[in-house]
C-alpha cells in the first residue's frame, strides 16, 4: 500500500509541477524559433498557467516591454541614433557665408571725414561664399552610412537586452520549478522517515535509517537555500535590466514548454549573415569608410569661393567688385596623408567586419549546439531516465517495506529521481535560453509577427 501511495504521489508531482511535458508529447510543437522570437517581437513566449503562489504569473512579454522602455543601455543607443541622424543635414550643408565691411579714409585718420570728397574714401560691405568642389554629396553619404550603422547597432542593443531579460526569466523559472520539486520531495521524504521510524519501533529497522532520513531532510533545506539565493540573484538581474529598485516585488514565471528548433545549422548561419544587426552595423561602417576615402581623394581638388563687395563713396559714384579665391590643396602633402589615413580606416573597418562575422557564426553555432543538445537530453529524460528512475524508486519502496533492501538503497533511488527532476527543469530552461541567444542574430522566422 505504501508503494502504491508513493507512486501516486510521484505521478501527481509530475502533473502539478510548474513544468509541462516536452513538445514531442504535446499535440503540436512551435515551428522554428517562433517562441524565442516571440519575446523579441513582443509576443508571449510563455503560456500563463493557473497561479499557485501569486495571483498573476510573471509575464515575459511585459518584462520585455518594460525593458525596452526603461533600460538605460537601450535609451543611450536611441539617443546615439538621433545624434547621428542630426549630423546628416550638417554634413551636406554649404560652409557658412562670410560678410565683410570696413571704411577707407583718404588723407585723414578719422573715419568718414573725407567720405564723398576724396576718390579713395569709402564705406564698403561685401559677402563671400565657399563652394566645395563636388564634396558635399560624399559627406552626406558618409554621414548617412554612419547613421545607418548606428541604427543597426541600436537594434543589436535591443535584441541583446531582450535576450538578457529572457535568460533571466528562464533562470527564475528553473529556480521556482526546482523549489517545487524540493518541497514535494521533502513531503515524500517525511513519509519515508515516518515509515523508517515505524519499522524501527517494531524492531524491523535500525535507528540509522531514521537518522539518515533526517539528514536528507536537512540536505533538502540546503538545496532550497541555494535555490533561494539564485532567485534573489535572478530578480536582481531583472531589476537591473528593467532599471527598477531592488525592493521591487516579482511574481513567479508562468509555465513554459519546449520550443522546437526545425532549422539546420547551415540555414541559421545564412540567416545570421542576412539579418544580424551586428553585421549590418559593420557593413555600414565599411560603406562609410569607402565614402570617406573617396572624399579624401576628392580633397586633392581645389575649392572655390566667390565674393561681392559694394563700395559707397558718399556723394561720389559707388563702385562694385567681384572676385573669388581658389585653394591650393596638397601643396604640403596634407591631402596625401589624409588619403592614407582614410585607406587605413577602411581596411580596419573591413577587418572588424570579418571579426564580427566570425563572432556571430560562433555565437549561432554555440547556441544551436546547446539547443540541440538540450533537446536530446529532454527526450532522454522524458522517455527513459525519469521513467526508469521512478520505476527504480517504486521497486525500492516496495522492497524496503518488506525488508528486502536497506534504507540506503531506498534513499539512493529517491535521491537519483530528485536529481533527475531538477536537472530536467534546468535543461528545459537552458534550451529556451539557447534559443533566446540564437534569436539575437537570426531574427524572426518567416511568418512570425513583427
Amino acid at each position: 500500500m505504501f508503494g502504491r501511495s508513493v507512486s501516486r504521489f510521484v505521478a501527481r508531482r509530475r502533473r502539478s509541477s510548474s513544468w509541462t511535458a516536452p513538445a514531442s508529447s504535446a499535440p503540436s510543437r512551435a515551428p522554428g524559433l517562433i517562441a524565442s522570437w516571440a519575446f523579441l517581437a513582443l509576443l508571449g513566449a510563455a503560456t500563463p498557467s493557473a497561479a499557485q503562489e501569486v495571483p498573476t504569473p510573471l509575464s515575459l512579454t511585459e518584462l520585455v516591454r518594460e525593458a525596452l522602455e526603461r533600460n538605460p543601455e537601450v535609451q543611450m543607443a536611441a539617443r546615439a541614433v538621433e545624434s547621428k541622424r542630426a549630423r546628416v543635414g550638417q554634413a551636406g550643408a554649404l560652409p557658412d557665408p562670410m560678410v565683410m565691411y570696413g571704411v577707407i579714409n583718404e588723407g585723414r585718420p578719422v573715419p568718414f571725414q573725407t567720405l564723398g570728397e576724396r576718390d579713395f574714401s569709402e564705406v564698403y560691405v561685401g559677402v563671400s561664399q565657399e563652394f566645395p568642389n563636388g564634396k558635399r554629396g560624399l559627406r552626406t553619404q558618409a554621414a548617412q552610412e554612419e547613421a545607418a550603422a548606428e541604427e543597426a547597432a541600436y537594434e543589436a542593443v535591443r535584441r541583446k537586452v531582450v535576450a538578457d531579460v529572457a535568460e533571466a526569466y528562464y533562470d527564475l523559472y528553473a529556480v521556482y520549478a526546482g523549489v517545487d520539486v524540493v518541497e514535494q520531495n521533502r513531503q515524500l521524504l517525511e513519509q519515508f522517515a515516518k515509515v523508517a521510524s515505524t519499522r524501527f519501533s517494531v524492531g524491523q529497522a535500525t535507528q540509522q535509517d531514521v537518522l539518515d532520513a533526517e539528514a536528507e531532510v536537512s540536505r533538502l533545506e540546503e538545496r532550497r537555500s541555494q535555490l533561494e539565493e539564485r532567485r534573489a540573484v535572478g530578480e536582481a538581474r531583472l531589476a537591473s535590466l528593467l532599471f527598477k529598485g531592488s525592493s521591487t516585488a516579482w511574481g513567479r514565471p508562468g509555465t513554459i514548454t519546449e520550443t522546437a528548433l526545425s532549422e539546420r545549422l547551415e540555414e541559421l548561419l545564412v540567416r545570421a549573415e542576412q539579418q544580424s544587426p551586428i553585421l549590418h552595423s559593420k557593413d555600414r561602417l565599411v560603406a562609410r569608410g569607402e565614402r570617406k576615402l573617396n572624399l579624401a581623394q576628392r580633397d586633392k581638388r581645389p575649392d572655390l569661393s566667390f565674393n561681392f563687395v559694394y563700395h559707397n563713396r558718399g556723394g561720389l559714384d559707388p563702385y562694385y567688385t567681384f572676385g573669388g579665391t581658389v585653394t591650393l590643396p596638397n601643396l604640403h602633402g596634407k591631402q596625401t596623408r589624409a588619403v592614407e589615413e582614410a585607406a587605413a580606416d577602411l581596411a580596419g573597418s573591413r577587418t572588424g567586419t570579418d571579426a564580427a562575422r566570425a563572432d556571430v557564426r560562433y555565437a549561432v553555432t554555440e547556441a544551436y549546439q546547446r539547443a540541440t543538445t538540450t533537446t536530446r537530453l529532454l527526450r532522454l529524460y522524458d522517455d527513459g531516465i525519469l521513467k526508469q528512475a521512478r520505476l527504480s524508486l517504486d521497486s525500492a519502496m516496495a522492497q524496503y517495506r518488506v525488508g528486502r533492501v536497506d534504507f540506503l538503497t531506498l534513499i539512493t533511488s529517491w535521491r537519483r529521481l530528485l536529481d533527475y527532476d531538477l536537472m530536467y527543469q534546468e535543461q528545459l530552461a537552458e534550451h529556451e535560453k539557447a534559443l533566446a541567444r540564437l534569436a539575437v542574430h537570426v531574427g524572426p522566422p518567416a511568418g512570425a509577427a513583427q
Side-chain angles (χ1 to χ4, degrees):
M1 178 182 298
F2 175 70
R4 289 194 300 271
S5 65
V6 175
S7 296
R8 290 194 298 269
F9 179 88
V10 173
R12 184 170 63 254
R13 177 179 58 190
R14 289 296 302 276
R15 293 193 301 269
S16 62
S17 177
S18 59
W19 58 273
T20 61
S24 62
S25 61
S28 61
R29 294 170 65 103
L33 299 174
I34 292 291
S36 288
W37 177 254
F39 57 78
L40 285 171
L42 289 182
L43 299 176
T47 303
S49 62
Q52 297 176 359
E53 297 183 5
V54 294
T56 304
L58 195 61
S59 169
L60 180 55
T61 303
E62 288 302 312
L63 291 177
V64 167
R65 182 187 60 78
E66 286 193 61
L68 294 179
E69 291 177 354
R70 300 171 55 90
N71 183 270
E73 190 176 0
V74 173
Q75 301 308 314
M76 181 176 64
R79 301 293 85 76
V81 171
E82 295 175 1
S83 173
K84 297 299 182 183
R85 287 174 176 171
R87 292 180 61 182
V88 174
Q90 304 175 52
L94 283 170
D96 292 336
M98 297 179 63
V99 175
M100 64 190 78
Y101 60 91
V103 176
I104 299 177
N105 216 50
E106 181 183 356
R108 298 177 187 175
V110 180
F112 306 110
Q113 284 190 338
T114 60
L115 183 63
E117 299 176 1
R118 303 288 180 90
D119 288 342
F120 292 102
S121 295
E122 64 181 60
V123 177
Y124 66 89
V125 62
V127 61
S128 67
Q129 175 67 61
E130 180 183 354
F131 294 92
N133 187 9
K135 302 171 185 177
R136 295 168 56 202
L138 288 174
R139 290 171 183 166
T140 299
Q141 292 171 14
Q144 288 173 337
E145 295 294 353
E146 191 168 2
E150 201 65 46
E151 290 170 1
Y154 168 63
E155 177 62 19
V157 169
R158 284 170 52 90
R159 291 192 184 188
K160 176 184 176 298
V161 168
V162 169
D164 288 344
V165 170
E167 290 194 53
Y169 176 88
Y170 292 129
D171 279 335
L172 277 180
Y173 162 80
V175 167
Y176 275 99
V179 169
D180 288 344
V181 170
V182 167
E183 177 60 26
Q184 292 161 357
N185 273 271
R186 185 185 63 80
Q187 298 173 16
L188 181 59
L189 188 59
E190 289 174 351
Q191 294 186 29
F192 290 172
K194 290 180 181 178
V195 173
S197 179
T198 301
R199 297 187 74 242
F200 171 68
S201 65
V202 297
Q204 296 180 353
T206 66
Q207 188 178 15
Q208 185 66 36
D209 293 353
V210 179
L211 296 176
D212 286 343
E214 293 175 351
E216 290 298 331
V217 171
S218 298
R219 288 191 63 187
L220 281 181
E221 289 302 319
E222 177 189 21
R223 292 201 187 211
R224 186 183 181 92
S225 296
Q226 293 171 343
L227 289 170
E228 289 298 330
E229 178 188 4
R230 286 180 56 190
R231 180 188 62 79
V233 172
E235 291 180 348
R237 177 59 174 157
L238 278 179
S240 173
L241 290 168
L242 273 65
F243 198 53
K244 288 189 172 183
S246 58
S247 60
T248 302
W250 304 93
R252 67 173 290 164
T255 302
I256 67 173
T257 57
E258 179 192 353
T259 304
L261 176 61
S262 60
E263 291 89 342
R264 295 180 296 108
L265 177 59
E266 293 76 12
E267 297 171 340
L268 294 173
L269 290 174
V270 171
R271 285 175 54 188
E273 289 278 348
Q274 298 171 346
Q275 302 182 25
S276 172
I278 294 176
L279 296 184
H280 288 174
S281 178
K282 295 297 184 180
D283 288 339
R284 298 280 65 78
L285 290 178
V286 169
R288 181 200 62 176
E290 293 171 347
R291 302 297 183 272
K292 285 193 170 183
L293 178 57
N294 293 337
L295 180 60
Q297 294 169 340
R298 187 68 63 88
D299 278 340
K300 290 184 175 182
R301 301 180 182 181
D303 291 333
L304 307 176
S305 68
F306 299 94
N307 59 68
F308 165 77
V309 182
Y310 165 70
H311 304 263
N312 187 311
R313 299 194 298 162
L316 303 178
D317 291 338
Y319 67 94
Y320 310 89
T321 59
F322 302 86
T325 62
V326 178
T327 61
L328 300 177
N330 211 34
L331 190 62
H332 304 291
K334 175 183 176 181
Q335 280 70 26
T336 297
R337 299 294 181 268
V339 171
E340 294 174 356
E341 177 187 0
D345 286 343
L346 176 58
S349 296
R350 286 172 174 165
T351 302
T353 300
D354 291 338
R357 182 170 288 107
D359 289 342
V360 168
R361 290 179 64 87
Y362 167 76
V364 170
T365 302
E366 187 273 338
Y368 175 84
Q369 295 299 337
R370 183 60 181 158
T372 54
T373 298
T374 51
T375 295
R376 290 194 298 270
L377 290 176
L378 290 172
R379 297 287 77 70
L380 184 61
Y381 278 116
D382 194 62
D383 297 337
I385 293 178
L386 287 175
K387 292 180 180 179
Q388 294 163 0
R390 286 194 296 273
L391 290 174
S392 175
L393 179 59
D394 289 343
S395 176
M397 288 186 294
Q399 296 294 320
Y400 179 73
R401 182 170 56 85
V402 297
R404 293 182 181 178
V405 298
D406 57 17
F407 191 70
L408 178 60
T409 300
L410 175 61
I411 288 298
T412 300
S413 297
W414 166 81
R415 189 184 300 136
R416 186 186 302 118
L417 179 58
L418 169 64
D419 291 339
Y420 291 154
D421 272 341
L422 292 174
M423 187 56 65
Y424 183 94
Q425 305 304 325
E426 294 291 344
Q427 293 300 326
L428 180 57
E430 286 298 321
H431 178 80
E432 298 305 310
K433 288 164 59 178
L435 296 187
R437 293 191 296 270
L438 192 59
V440 170
H441 299 290
V442 303
Q450 299 295 317

